[in-house]
Structures are given as structure tokens and as C-alpha cells.
Amino acid sequence: MMDVPAKKRVRLSTEVRRQQILDAALTEFTALGFNAASISKIAARAGMSKANLYVHFANKDEIFETLLKDVLQPALGAWQLPPAGASVEHALDAYIDHQYEQMTPQMVSIMKLLISESHRVPELIRRWQDETVLPAHREQQARIDQYVADGALQKTPLTDNFSFIMAPVLYAVICKLIFTPEVAETERQKTRATHRQLIRLLLKAP
Amino acid sequence: MMDVPAKKRVRLSTEVRRQQILDAALTEFTALGFNAASISKIAARAGMSKANLYVHFANKDEIFETLLKDVLQPALGAWQLPPAGASVEHALDAYIDHQYEQMTPQMVSIMKLLISESHRVPELIRRWQDETVLPAHREQQARIDQYVADGALQKTPLTDNFSFIMAPVLYAVICKLIFTPEVAETERQKTRATHRQLIRLLLKAP
Amino acid sequence: MMDVPAKKRVRLSTEVRRQQILDAALTEFTALGFNAASISKIAARAGMSKANLYVHFANKDEIFETLLKDVLQPALGAWQLPPAGASVEHALDAYIDHQYEQMTPQMVSIMKLLISESHRVPELIRRWQDETVLPAHREQQARIDQYVADGALQKTPLTDNFSFIMAPVLYAVICKLIFTPEVAETERQKTRATHRQLIRLLLKAP
Amino acid sequence: MMDVPAKKRVRLSTEVRRQQILDAALTEFTALGFNAASISKIAARAGMSKANLYVHFANKDEIFETLLKDVLQPALGAWQLPPAGASVEHALDAYIDHQYEQMTPQMVSIMKLLISESHRVPELIRRWQDETVLPAHREQQARIDQYVADGALQKTPLTDNFSFIMAPVLYAVICKLIFTPEVAETERQKTRATHRQLIRLLLKAP
DNA sequence: AATGAATGAGTTTTCATTCAT
DNA sequence: AATGAATGAAAACTCATTCAT
């Protein structure tokens, strides 16, 4: 007879366990959505028993909420400020590029989660909106306004409503979520090129 | 004891019943997503027994698929051609306006469904993409190219990739799906205004 | 548009309809057993609607009962009398041969049905037993006794309990019901040969 | 109002629970057949919730399969070898006796299950046939052949095809499955007596 | 902290049967 | 007689959650 693998009962700190759970949960939730992701699989992926998972979180919703909270901290990285430099135009260019670059599969999955499951955590979303997204917008807008005031950028409808600049990026993300990979990728590249050209055009305009 | 209500059996045509089911299903699916929407509730909302629902549809997936198929026929109304007229600029303006106008709650819900559940019906989505969306894009692009050739529109990066024009609209839709109604509405109006101004600017540019 | 096939509403006599139903039911019941055979399929096979089926039979059990009643009339053909002739031994030989020959797939299926579902119709089975099987046994035994009295057959334990002679046939049937076709067929042939040889041996014995 | 019974949760080992389930399932399956036996009733009989039953078995089929597998291990006890002794004839007599003795209600039920539901587990049946039944036959036949070679038994058609000897036993079993208890019992006794006498006769034959 | 065992409340689906025409 | 539409009751199975250790 073979020895039974002798499943050890590992004892780890709460911190570690929570993180294991959240990591596993992120994978499962982004892959399947809230409902289809099961506690069983999350526990299995996190390497612990279901019951132990409930020692660390009160229920499935709490895991989800904690997860989104973590993920939403950096405001999707999206509306970060462009680094100021000698040439504002160049910086802006690099900034937009950065956004398209950042469109990783993981980020796309989280976007999907945010769209399809945000109704589960309205309070969290509201706080995220009020404390992260809107302030970031404002800060960014202030910076842009400063550039305009300084004459580093000329005033255009875009500089008046700078968050508008993310629209094409989002369009590319949504394409990834709906269309076939090939079409989505084509659309992303076309969008990116058009985006860049239009921005340049706009900044050069008299 | 109360008298038993003596529930009368209602007898309707298959056509009517199917439509009742689809209507109820659309409500439930858009409100909760595929998994969370239950056959029980759909049947209740449609005013019939669960069993009768299964007389008209083979299973939950078939309901979902039929629903999406119906909804996707008009290509979301989105990439419809701008009506040609005396002033192309004016027509374009009206066209964009139309897109923002069309952003009804129902349409927004369907968009959500499309994003969160399209993986369930990949074949349907592929056909929709290949037979509806892409052809519509092409036709629209051809029309724009004609305008440019005719000198009615001047050539810009946007006229080279005209579907790009939908990006801000989509941005507004996604805001509705994520943010609070107030913020979403504000964002929609700002986006719409910026969109219009930028288009005008672009068309006027030398 | 194509013309709809114009499903005719055929009107037939009760007799005909009942027989159509019974024929279809026999096929379905023997193929699947009582529970797995569905009214839907029986009705479809009989070429009528489910509702019409209920015009002719009160319920599923009644169909089953009627069916078995019909089938059990000839007492499975099993304990039929051996035709008397010049040589009783020869006749007996032919009789046994006949039993093995009669082991058609249909007969085997009915045997299976009889074993697995007879508990559903205990009363019917009792009547069949009392009014068909046992009388047939008795008649046959009487005939054998007569042969013995006449000296046409010599007295043996077998002639004292003649129904015993069916045991090997039944064994072959059960093999068909359990084992793989190849093994069952081999077993049937071996059994048949042994059966014949033993009978001959017995009749020749001093 | 009565106090709520406060059903205590009983906690037992997997081993025990599995056995409880198998016991209950055997009862239900043999009484009603596979389809008509419900998981609800099996769980109730086993004294646990349906859900717990699914903790121990993946589905209804797995229960059935496990059950048959367990039961088929000893090859139905049927074709076991006769113990060799001073008098082979005596041993054979005892062996046959043993078979009739062993015809317990439980064994009869399993026989019914085997006949009516074996199509559900063709692979299991094939393995049982190839690895248990046929080898047992062969071993037994070899033993008989040895007796014949030793002169302990004289060669007859029966010694050439020894498994034939089970046919009358099987006949008695089938009678139990179809006829009323009284008739079945009468038939069993008659069959047993005839069986014994014929065997003796055969062995004594010149 | 950790877990194997246990369960209530739900899910989708099926089917014999009945109703209205 | 015939049928399309309708349904109650039950089936198998799932899953988030809890209990006992």
C-alpha cells in the first residue's frame, strides 16, 4: 500500500490566508463572474478548506467586496497624471500610449467584472467614484488647466474636459470584451492610431 | 377558510407566449445577469407556469440566445448611416445627437448583457460581428469616403477610421453602467458637448 | 413562403387508435422499461397527440396493463403442448428445438419486461399465472402422464415434473439479458446442445 | 405551538455514511428499480439529507455502480466450486443444495436488478463477466474434468458443460420474480427435487 | 486556525396528466 | 375523436454556509 499523502494541516497567519483567498478569488471571479465562481473552487485554489475560508471572510459577498476594494485603489491606473516634462505634447503622447499598453488581459477582465457585477457593491462603487475617480479627474484637469494657463497647451474642447481622452481607450477595451480576438485587436490598433493622430492634430491646430 | 381562487387556465397562442417569455426574460436577464436570473422568476413575470415555459423553449440557454438574436438584429441601431443632405456637417451633427438620444435604459441594459454574457453565445456573437457590425462599419465608411471624395467632407484621421466616432458614446454608456446616475448623467452631457465641439472643430480645420 | 405541411387531423375508429397506441407502447416499453418509456414518445410513435392518447386510455398504467394482458394471452408460447406423432421422442426433440428457435429479441425483451415490471400489475400476473400458466402446465403434464401410461415415454423424474424442461431455455434467455451478445450466444448454443443430449440420454435410460 | 425538535447534526465517518447510503440504495433499487428509486427516499432511508448523500457519491449512477460492483464481487456466490471430498457425488449433492439454500430474498432482488438494470453499467457487467463469471466457470469445469479423468465422475453431457447445472436454480429464481410467493415456492421445491433426482440418475447411469 | 461532514434552500428540468377548443 | 396549450408535482443536482471536533 502507498502511504497516503499525509495532508498537513498548515497554520498560517490571518494576513497570509486572507491574501491567498483574495488571489484565488480574483482569478475565479474574473474568469467566471460572481455567480459562476464557486466558493469550493476559490478555496481549492487558495489551498485550504471551504470552512477555513469562512474563518477569514463572513461570506462570498465580503470576499468580492474586499477584492474590488483592493483592485479599485489605484483607480484602474487609468486616470493617472501625465508626467510633466519639457514637451507637454510629447508627454501626452507617452501617456496615451501607456494607456493602450496597459490594456492587459487581467485589466480587461477586471473591467468586465466592474461592469457586470458592480451592482452588487453599490456603496463601494460610490465611494470609489467619489473618493478616487472624481478626485483623480479633478486633479488631472487642474494640471491640464495649468498647462493651458502656462501656454504649454492651447485651449481646446478637450482641454476643457480632459477625461474625454479616455473614451477611445475604453472603446478598445469593450471591443476586447465583445468581439473576436482578431477583430478586437484590429480595432484596438486602428483606434490607437486614430487617437494619436487626432490628438496631434488638435494640439497643432491654430 | 377562504374560497380557493380557482385559478383559470389561460390559453394563448405560441406566438404570444413566446413573446411574453422573451419580454420577461429580458427584464430578468438585464437586471440580474444570466446566472442570477431564475426560470422561476421569468415564468412568474411572464404569468405562466415553469412547465409551460419549457413548452415554448428548450432551456434557459435557448431563451437567452433567442433574446440576444432578436436584439442584435438591428445592430444596436448604433452604426447606422448618417442621412445625406444639403449640409453634411449638419447631418453628422444630427447623427451623433441621435446616438446620445438613443441611450435609453433598455439599451444600456442590453449593452451590459452583451458585455457580461456574450461568452455564452460565441457563435451568435461572431455571426453578429461578421454579418451585421462589420458590414455596417464598411458601408458607413464607404459613405464617408464618398463624402470626402466629393469634397463634402475634408479628409482627417477621423474620416479614415470613421467608426472611431462611436467611442465617446460608448464611454457614456459605460459610465451609466458603473457610476451613480447623477455622475453618469453629468459625464454623458459633458461627453456629448465635447464630442460635438471636437467634431465641428475637426471639420472646420484647414 | 413554403406551405405549412398542413398537419391533417385524422379521425379513426377507437379500435384502430387503441391498437396503434399498444403497438407503439410495446416498442417503447420493451426498449426502455416502464419508467423510461415516455407518453410523449409513445404518442409520437403512434402518430397522434398525447391528449388523444388519453382519450383511449386512462393513464400510463392502463396502457401497460392492457399491453401485458395481450402479450400474456398465449402464455409466452412457452408451455405449448408437444405435437403427438409416431415417435414421441422425436416430437419432444422438435418441441425443445422450437423453444430455442422462438427466442427472438422481441420475446427476450418481453421476458425482461415481465421480470422487471411485473410488480406493477400483480393482479394481472396472478390471473395469468392461475388461468394461463398453471392450466397449461397441468394440461401438458397430463399429456406427458398419458404418454407414460401408454408406454410411449418411460417414467423419469422429468416426466414427473415436466415443466422442469423449460429451465435450460430460460437460462439461455437470462444470459441474453445479462451477458454480452457473444457470450450469450455461445451459452445458448452450449445449453441447447447439452439440453438435447441429456433429454435423449434420459429417454434412452433403462 | 410545539417546541422545534432541534434536529441535532450527526457526524459520522465517510466509511459509515457510504455504507448507510449503499444499504438504503440497495433496498430502494431492488424494490423499485433504478428509475423509480428516488434520491430523496434513499437519503431519507439512510438518515441523512440529500445534499450529504451527494457529498459521498457524485450522482445516482455512481451509487448504483458502486452497489453492483460490491455485490458482484463474489460472483453471486453461484458458480463456486464444489468441495472435493471422499464422495464426489455427495459433494455435488451438497453443492446443489447449497445453491437452493442461498436463494434468499436479497439475492433474488439482486438478480432482478441485474436483469432489469444491467444495461446501465455495460462496462461493469462486461468486466464481471470476463473477470469473474467466465473464470469461475472455467475453474469449475477444470475441476469437473479432473474428476472425470480420475474416474470419480463418469463422463456425461453435463460434465462436458457443467455450468448447465445452474439452469434449474435460475429457473426457480425467476419464478420468485414473477409468480406469487406460493406458486414460486412450490415450483422451487419441485424443481429442487427433480434436479437432485436427475443428477443422481445421471451419475448412476452406465 | 483549521477542517471534514452536514444541510437548507435553491436551481433547472421532466413528465404524466388535464383543460379549452 | 382530436389536439395544442397548460400545469402540479416531482426529479436530480448544486452551493453557500454551518456545525462539531
Side-chain angles (χ1 to χ4, degrees):
Chain A
M1 292 289 171
M2 300 253 301
D3 265 357
V4 177
K7 208 177 293 171
K8 338 185 178 220
R9 187 185 267 236
V10 187
R11 198 186 167 96
L12 298 170
S13 78
T14 295
E15 297 297 288
V16 173
R17 284 304 202 193
R18 279 180 70 94
Q19 200 50 53
Q20 288 175 328
I21 294 166
L22 291 174
D23 289 348
L26 179 58
T27 306
E28 295 292 323
F29 281 140
T30 53
L32 305 167
F34 182 85
N35 276 293
S38 81
I39 291 285
S40 282
K41 273 181 155 184
I42 294 173
R45 181 179 292 275
M48 74 188 67
S49 69
K50 273 186 289 179
N52 193 28
L53 188 149
Y54 278 90
V55 169
H56 298 286
F57 290 92
N59 50 41
K60 199 178 175 182
D61 289 271
E62 198 188 281
I63 298 175
F64 182 71
E65 194 158 346
T66 307
L67 194 60
L68 262 199
K69 205 181 298 178
D70 284 8
V71 159
L72 295 185
Q73 285 311 347
L76 278 174
W79 288 274
Q80 299 298 1
L81 29 161
S87 160
V88 172
E89 285 155 41
H90 190 267
L92 218 159
D93 217 52
Y95 169 63
I96 292 173
D97 248 42
H98 177 65
Q99 301 307 328
Y100 284 94
E101 232 54 77
Q102 224 184 241
M103 212 189 297
T104 60
Q106 212 218 14
M107 189 276 214
V108 172
S109 294
I110 288 172
M111 200 68 212
K112 179 173 180 178
L113 210 54
L114 199 58
I115 290 171
S116 49
E117 312 285 1
S118 63
H119 65 274
R120 279 175 204 291
V121 284
E123 188 46 35
L124 173 61
I125 293 292
R126 206 192 49 65
R127 275 211 317 282
W128 172 62
Q129 169 195 281
D130 292 348
E131 297 167 17
T132 307
V133 179
L134 294 183
H137 274 212
R138 267 183 243 112
E139 188 189 345
Q140 206 171 43
Q141 186 64 50
R143 178 166 308 219
I144 294 297
D145 290 346
Q146 188 59 47
Y147 287 140
V148 172
D150 293 351
L153 277 179
Q154 54 170 323
K155 180 176 162 63
T156 68
L158 179 60
T159 57
D160 288 347
N161 175 21
F162 192 70
S163 67
F164 187 92
I165 206 167
M166 285 307 294
V169 180
L170 192 63
Y171 171 78
V173 171
I174 302 299
C175 284
K176 293 247 179 212
L177 288 176
I178 298 183
F179 297 129
T180 58
E182 302 78 37
V183 168
E185 181 55 23
T186 305
E187 210 60 27
R188 176 174 153 275
Q189 286 172 10
K190 278 168 53 187
T191 301
R192 184 179 184 169
T194 306
H195 198 181
R196 159 177 287 164
Q197 291 167 1
L198 283 176
I199 295 295
R200 291 220 174 117
L201 193 63
L202 205 57
L203 298 181
K204 257 181 267 167
Chain B
M1 290 290 169
M2 300 258 297
D3 264 359
V4 176
K7 201 183 287 173
K8 267 285 176 190
R9 225 184 242 218
V10 185
R11 205 187 144 89
L12 298 170
S13 76
T14 295
E15 307 288 288
V16 172
R17 285 303 201 192
R18 277 180 72 95
Q19 200 51 54
Q20 288 177 330
I21 294 165
L22 291 175
D23 290 348
L26 181 58
T27 306
E28 295 291 323
F29 282 141
T30 53
L32 306 167
F34 182 86
N35 277 300
S38 84
I39 290 287
S40 285
K41 274 184 161 180
I42 293 173
R45 179 179 292 275
M48 72 188 71
S49 67
K50 269 184 289 178
N52 194 29
L53 189 150
Y54 278 94
V55 169
H56 299 288
F57 290 92
N59 50 43
K60 200 178 173 184
D61 287 270
E62 200 189 277
I63 299 176
F64 182 71
E65 196 158 341
T66 306
L67 201 58
L68 263 199
K69 206 182 294 177
D70 284 8
V71 157
L72 294 185
Q73 286 309 349
L76 278 173
W79 287 274
Q80 299 298 358
L81 30 161
S87 159
V88 172
E89 285 157 39
H90 190 267
L92 221 159
D93 217 52
Y95 169 63
I96 292 174
D97 248 40
H98 176 66
Q99 302 306 329
Y100 283 94
E101 231 56 75
Q102 226 185 238
M103 212 190 296
T104 60
Q106 213 217 17
M107 188 276 217
V108 172
S109 294
I110 288 171
M111 199 68 212
K112 178 174 178 178
L113 212 51
L114 198 58
I115 291 172
S116 49
E117 312 286 358
S118 62
H119 65 274
R120 274 175 210 293
V121 284
E123 189 44 35
L124 174 61
I125 293 292
R126 207 193 47 65
R127 276 213 314 283
W128 173 63
Q129 169 193 282
D130 291 347
E131 294 167 19
T132 305
V133 178
L134 295 183
H137 274 212
R138 268 184 242 112
E139 189 190 344
Q140 206 169 44
Q141 186 65 49
R143 179 163 308 219
I144 294 297
D145 289 347
Q146 189 59 47
Y147 288 140
V148 171
D150 293 350
L153 278 179
Q154 55 170 321
K155 181 175 160 64
T156 67
L158 179 60
T159 58
D160 289 345
N161 175 22
F162 190 70
S163 65
F164 186 92
I165 206 168
M166 285 306 295
V169 180
L170 192 63
Y171 172 78
V173 171
I174 302 299
C175 285
K176 293 247 179 212
L177 288 176
I178 299 182
F179 297 129
T180 59
E182 303 77 37
V183 168
E185 182 54 23
T186 305
E187 208 62 26
R188 175 173 153 274
Q189 284 171 11
K190 278 169 53 187
T191 303
R192 184 179 184 168
T194 306
H195 198 181
R196 159 177 287 163
Q197 292 167 3
L198 283 176
I199 295 295
R200 291 221 174 116
L201 191 63
L202 204 57
L203 297 181
K204 259 182 264 166
Chain C
M1 292 290 171
M2 300 254 299
D3 266 357
V4 177
K7 207 177 292 170
K8 338 187 180 214
R9 185 185 268 236
V10 187
R11 197 187 168 94
L12 296 171
S13 77
T14 296
E15 298 296 289
V16 173
R17 285 303 202 192
R18 279 180 71 93
Q19 199 51 52
Q20 287 176 330
I21 293 166
L22 291 174
D23 289 349
L26 180 58
T27 306
E28 295 292 323
F29 281 140
T30 52
L32 305 167
F34 182 86
N35 276 294
S38 81
I39 291 285
S40 282
K41 273 182 156 185
I42 293 173
R45 182 179 289 276
M48 74 188 68
S49 68
K50 271 186 291 178
N52 193 29
L53 190 149
Y54 278 91
V55 170
H56 298 287
F57 290 92
N59 52 41
K60 198 179 176 183
D61 289 271
E62 199 189 279
I63 300 176
F64 183 70
E65 196 158 343
T66 307
L67 195 62
L68 262 199
K69 206 182 297 177
D70 285 8
V71 157
L72 295 185
Q73 287 310 348
L76 276 175
W79 287 273
Q80 299 297 1
L81 29 160
S87 160
V88 172
E89 285 156 39
H90 190 266
L92 220 160
D93 218 52
Y95 168 62
I96 292 174
D97 248 42
H98 177 65
Q99 301 306 329
Y100 284 93
E101 231 56 73
Q102 223 184 243
M103 213 190 296
T104 60
Q106 212 218 16
M107 190 275 216
V108 171
S109 295
I110 289 173
M111 199 69 212
K112 180 173 180 178
L113 209 54
L114 198 58
I115 291 172
S116 49
E117 312 285 0
S118 62
H119 65 274
R120 279 175 205 290
V121 284
E123 188 46 35
L124 173 61
I125 293 292
R126 206 192 48 64
R127 276 212 314 283
W128 172 62
Q129 170 194 282
D130 291 348
E131 296 166 19
T132 306
V133 177
L134 294 184
H137 274 212
R138 269 183 241 111
E139 189 190 343
Q140 206 170 45
Q141 186 66 48
R143 180 165 306 220
I144 294 296
D145 289 346
Q146 189 58 47
Y147 288 138
V148 171
D150 293 350
L153 277 179
Q154 55 170 322
K155 181 175 161 66
T156 67
L158 179 60
T159 58
D160 289 345
N161 175 21
F162 191 70
S163 65
F164 187 92
I165 206 168
M166 286 304 296
V169 180
L170 192 63
Y171 172 78
V173 171
I174 302 299
C175 285
K176 293 247 179 212
L177 289 176
I178 298 182
F179 297 128
T180 58
E182 303 77 38
V183 167
E185 181 55 23
T186 305
E187 210 60 27
R188 176 175 152 275
Q189 284 172 10
K190 278 169 51 187
T191 302
R192 185 179 184 169
T194 306
H195 198 181
R196 160 178 286 164
Q197 291 168 359
L198 282 176
I199 296 296
R200 290 220 175 118
L201 192 62
L202 204 57
L203 298 181
K204 258 182 264 164
Chain D
M1 292 294 166
M2 301 257 298
D3 264 359
V4 176
K7 202 182 286 174
K8 267 285 176 188
R9 227 184 239 217
V10 185
R11 204 186 145 88
L12 298 170
S13 76
T14 294
E15 306 288 287
V16 172
R17 285 303 200 192
R18 278 181 71 95
Q19 200 51 54
Q20 287 177 329
I21 293 166
L22 291 175
D23 290 347
L26 181 58
T27 306
E28 294 291 323
F29 281 142
T30 54
L32 305 168
F34 182 86
N35 277 300
S38 83
I39 290 287
S40 284
K41 275 183 160 181
I42 293 173
R45 180 179 293 275
M48 73 189 69
S49 66
K50 267 184 290 179
N52 194 27
L53 189 149
Y54 279 96
V55 169
H56 298 288
F57 290 92
N59 50 43
K60 201 178 173 184
D61 287 271
E62 199 187 279
I63 299 176
F64 182 71
E65 195 157 344
T66 307
L67 201 57
L68 263 199
K69 206 182 294 178
D70 284 8
V71 157
L72 295 185
Q73 287 309 349
L76 278 173
W79 289 272
Q80 299 297 359
L81 30 160
S87 161
V88 172
E89 284 156 41
H90 191 266
L92 219 159
D93 218 50
Y95 168 63
I96 293 173
D97 247 42
H98 177 65
Q99 302 305 330
Y100 284 94
E101 231 56 76
Q102 225 185 240
M103 213 189 296
T104 60
Q106 212 218 16
M107 188 275 215
V108 171
S109 295
I110 288 170
M111 200 68 213
K112 178 174 178 178
L113 214 51
L114 200 56
I115 291 171
S116 47
E117 312 286 0
S118 62
H119 65 274
R120 275 175 208 292
V121 284
E123 189 45 36
L124 174 61
I125 294 292
R126 206 192 48 65
R127 275 213 314 282
W128 173 62
Q129 169 193 282
D130 291 348
E131 295 168 18
T132 306
V133 178
L134 294 183
H137 275 213
R138 267 183 242 111
E139 189 189 344
Q140 206 170 44
Q141 186 65 49
R143 180 164 308 218
I144 295 296
D145 290 345
Q146 189 59 48
Y147 287 141
V148 171
D150 294 351
L153 277 179
Q154 54 170 322
K155 181 176 161 65
T156 67
L158 179 60
T159 57
D160 288 346
N161 175 22
F162 191 70
S163 66
F164 186 93
I165 206 167
M166 285 306 295
V169 180
L170 192 63
Y171 172 79
V173 171
I174 302 299
C175 284
K176 293 246 178 213
L177 288 176
I178 299 182
F179 297 129
T180 58
E182 303 77 37
V183 168
E185 181 55 21
T186 306
E187 210 61 25
R188 176 173 154 275
Q189 285 172 11
K190 278 168 53 188
T191 302
R192 184 179 183 168
T194 305
H195 198 179
R196 161 179 286 163
Q197 292 167 0
L198 283 177
I199 295 296
R200 291 223 174 115
L201 193 61
L202 204 56
L203 297 182
K204 258 182 267 165

